């Protein structure tokens, strides 16, 4: 059974710092890995999606990497801002037997990020 | 586009009561999902649907039923609510197999069972 773990569970940093959030998964047979952001009391917003054949994706100050063989992904946030404060979730899309996938994501527990001015 | 919408946003039920949560999407997506989110547990899949008229069990289906009578709607039912079903419920959708794998989430329904 696929298990996804995110470390740390919570992180507090001063504004301007570069930071790294970690995600590890136990089964390397995945289609892709997705990073989400969740603001308090809100739904999930997709930040980056990395296909299994890719090693990284970038969007603005965000960079996500994927090392499928070691079962790890990192989300790098450059020059953090108070507006980055949120919970960050990673999720993997398993590779189903037969090559099909019905999009059943397995989520980590999330990292709560606080960026203080 | 409204994207994925959920009704209601909040609900308080007494143990044993029933209710239905409605998820609607206007993106013509084939696949739809219901998740629950509990503190320290991440999101867990309850049921999902790969097309109109189809449903399947996810990781934690017990105590819930679903229906997908129309492509744009996915209903989650609780026949006899229990305090263990206190949670935040999220609906999501995505295009079919040959297109983007990205899932789009609704804003959530916060349910409390007393």
């Amino acid at each position: 059974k696929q298990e996804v773990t995110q470390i740390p569970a919570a992180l507090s940093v001063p504004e301007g710092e570069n930071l790294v959030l970690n995600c590890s998964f136990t089964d390397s047979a995945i289609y892709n890995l997705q990073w989400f952001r969740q603001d308090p009391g809100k739904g999930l917003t997709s930040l980056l999606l990395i296909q299994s054949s890719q090693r990284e994706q970038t969007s603005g100050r965000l960079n996500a990497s994927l090392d499928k063989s070691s079962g790890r992904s990192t989300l790098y946030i450059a020059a953090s801002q108070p507006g980055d404060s949120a919970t960050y979730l990673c999720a993997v899309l398993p590779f189903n037997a037969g090559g099909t996938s019905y999009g059943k994501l397995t989520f980590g527990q999330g990292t709560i990020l606080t960026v203080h001015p | 586009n409204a994207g994925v919408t959920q009704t209601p946003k909040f609900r308080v039920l007494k143990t044993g009561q029933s209710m239905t949560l409605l998820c609607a999407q206007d993106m013509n997506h084939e696949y739809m999902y219901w998740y629950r989110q509990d503190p320290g547990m991440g999101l867990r899949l309850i049921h999902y649907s790969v097309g109109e008229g189809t449903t399947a069990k996810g990781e934690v289906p017990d105590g819930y039923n679903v229906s997908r009578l129309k492509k744009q709607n996915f209903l989650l039912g609780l026949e006899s609510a229990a305090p263990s079903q206190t949670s935040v419920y999220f609906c999501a959708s995505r295009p079919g197999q040959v297109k983007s794998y990205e899932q789009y989430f609704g804003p959530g329904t916060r349910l409390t069972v007393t």
Side-chain angles (χ1 to χ4, degrees):
Chain A
K1 177 187 174 186
Q2 178 75 265
E3 292 184 0
V4 180
T5 303
Q6 291 186 246
I7 295 174
L11 183 63
S12 180
V13 300
E15 181 176 6
E17 270 204 9
N18 301 326
L19 57 97
V20 174
L21 307 181
N22 297 293
C23 173
S24 62
F25 47 95
T26 55
D27 187 345
S28 62
I30 64 170
Y31 265 133
N32 63 48
L33 183 144
Q34 200 166 353
W35 281 94
F36 294 88
R37 170 187 172 132
Q38 185 178 26
D39 293 293
K42 304 290 186 182
L44 279 68
T45 300
S46 179
L47 296 173
L48 292 164
L49 185 152
I50 312 176
Q51 301 289 358
S52 61
S53 58
Q54 298 174 321
R55 292 194 64 84
E56 65 178 333
Q57 281 285 343
T58 298
S59 176
R61 292 183 294 108
L62 306 179
N63 176 277
S65 67
L66 174 64
D67 184 343
K68 205 172 67 164
S69 62
S70 67
R72 294 173 187 255
S73 175
T74 60
L75 178 67
Y76 176 82
I77 302 177
S80 58
Q81 302 170 358
D84 294 331
S85 298
T87 297
Y88 291 80
L89 294 145
C90 73
V92 298
L93 181 62
F95 188 97
N96 278 13
T100 61
S101 172
Y102 297 122
K104 294 183 288 181
L105 293 173
T106 300
F107 281 85
Q109 298 93 329
T111 294
I112 302 171
L113 174 65
T114 303
V115 181
H116 48 87
Chain B
N1 279 350
V4 180
T5 58
Q6 294 182 232
T7 50
K9 289 185 170 55
F10 304 93
R11 186 73 185 268
V12 178
L13 286 180
K14 295 186 176 171
T15 298
Q17 287 185 320
S18 64
M19 77 163 294
T20 300
L21 282 67
L22 170 65
C23 175
Q25 52 92 7
D26 61 3
M27 297 173 282
N28 201 36
H29 286 171
E30 291 293 331
Y31 295 180
M32 296 186 75
Y33 311 86
W34 276 108
Y35 296 90
R36 60 178 289 172
Q37 184 177 35
D38 302 293
M41 301 286 290
L43 274 79
R44 293 179 292 169
L45 183 65
I46 305 172
H47 285 281
Y48 66 102
S49 168
V50 299
E52 182 179 317
T54 74
T55 63
K57 294 180 180 179
E59 182 184 355
V60 288
D62 293 342
Y64 305 95
N65 56 76
V66 287
S67 64
R68 183 109 181 261
L69 299 180
K70 293 183 179 180
K71 186 177 183 179
Q72 63 268 34
N73 295 336
F74 195 28
L75 278 64
L76 178 70
L78 287 73
E79 290 190 349
S80 180
S84 61
Q85 293 177 305
T86 294
S87 188
V88 182
Y89 292 85
F90 289 100
C91 176
S93 71
R94 54 159 267 198
Q97 187 68 21
V98 296
K99 298 180 182 177
S100 167
Y101 293 106
E102 187 171 345
Q103 290 194 16
Y104 298 82
F105 282 78
T109 294
R110 188 173 297 273
L111 175 66
T112 302
V113 183
T114 62

